[in-house]
Amino acid sequence: MQDSTTNDVLMHHLTAFGNNDLAEIMLDYTEESEVLTATGAIKGLSAITAFFSDLFITIPTGSDFEMKQLTVTENVAHIIWASESEVAAIPFGTDTFVMENGKIKFHTVSADIKYK
């Protein structure tokens, strides 16, 4: 996959995330997609939908968000970020996305969440 396709999927994902648009963000995943988190792997659309539903409570639309680094190489994208909302402060977060056929196949996410 070319860098431009990977970047397009990433930008769609980030926009949908910023808008807390669950239906739109789920267009980036398939039933075979996996999100790897500190508590284990989440696989399939139903489980990934639940993951984002919970995450949108912690980082609702309008939260402060700072993109510290964004790197795209071939079919892999990596971001480093920070965020703050009324619910939590996240001084450091990182996600890696592995794309396949215009969808997110693997997504790792790690964040230092400090709930208020």
Side-chain angles (χ1 to χ4, degrees):
M1 183 182 304
Q2 297 177 341
D3 293 0
S4 63
T5 303
T6 300
N7 193 64
D8 290 346
V9 174
L10 178 64
M11 290 302 109
H12 178 265
H13 178 82
L14 294 175
T15 299
F17 186 87
N19 293 330
N20 284 183
D21 189 334
L22 192 55
E24 199 64 29
I25 208 166
M26 291 311 299
L27 294 175
D28 297 330
Y29 296 90
T30 70
E31 199 59 54
E32 290 74 38
S33 297
E34 290 188 59
V35 178
L36 308 175
T37 73
T39 58
I42 300 165
K43 184 171 184 175
L45 295 173
S46 179
I48 294 170
T49 298
F51 170 78
F52 279 106
S53 292
D54 290 343
L55 193 55
F56 289 162
I57 294 168
T58 304
I59 309 173
T61 298
S63 298
D64 289 337
F65 187 87
E66 177 188 359
M67 182 69 68
K68 295 179 177 255
Q69 181 178 339
L70 187 156
T71 306
V72 174
T73 300
E74 294 183 23
N75 70 323
V76 179
H78 177 250
I79 62 172
I80 299 173
W81 53 274
S83 182
E84 185 156 353
S85 70
E86 291 183 9
V87 176
I90 307 170
F92 180 83
T94 182
D95 293 61
T96 301
F97 304 87
V98 179
M99 313 296 185
E100 183 176 279
N101 298 320
K103 301 287 185 178
I104 298 169
K105 175 71 175 171
F106 296 104
H107 173 187
T108 68
V109 59
S110 182
D112 181 19
I113 302 174
K114 297 174 181 5
Y115 290 97
K116 296 181 178 178

